[in-house]
Amino acid sequence: MAEWHLPPEYIVSNWTHELLNLMLEKLVNRKNREIRDVETAGSTEQSRTVSDTELFALLGDQIKVVKQ
């Protein structure tokens, strides 16, 4: 239920069995995709490594520094 940010009461009273089955099927597919992506990310870790200089160059002005 937390996956859809809905309380169980809402799902019980407003969703049909068909909709619940479809949502659960899509949830399982998404979780399997996430697992597959995590497993394959380990094999491509080398290609995703960047130096500090490259990282800050890529981020540009997206980092805000607040001095107090």
Side-chain angles (χ1 to χ4, degrees), residues 1 6 8 13 15 22-23 25 28-29 34 36 40 42 50 59 62-63 65-67:
M1 309 309 154
L6 296 171
S13 60
W15 287 14
L22 177 65
M23 294 296 282
E25 180 182 322
V28 169
N29 289 343
E34 289 174 0
R36 187 184 66 236
T40 58
V50 296
L59 291 175
Q62 294 181 15
I63 297 176
V65 177
V66 178
K67 296 181 181 180

Side-chain angles (χ1 to χ4, degrees), residues 16-54:
T16 63
H17 292 291
E18 293 82 10
L19 179 58
L20 180 60
N21 287 334
L22 177 65
M23 294 296 282
L24 290 172
E25 180 182 322
K26 297 296 182 180
L27 175 64
V28 169
N29 289 343
R30 188 175 77 242
K31 292 295 183 181
N32 287 336
R33 233 181 11 253
E34 289 174 0
I35 290 169
R36 187 184 66 236
D37 291 345
V38 167
E39 289 172 350
T40 58
S43 63
T44 60
E45 191 66 32
Q46 295 281 335
S47 65
R48 295 175 43 173
T49 304
V50 296
S51 69
D52 295 344
T53 311
E54 290 173 301

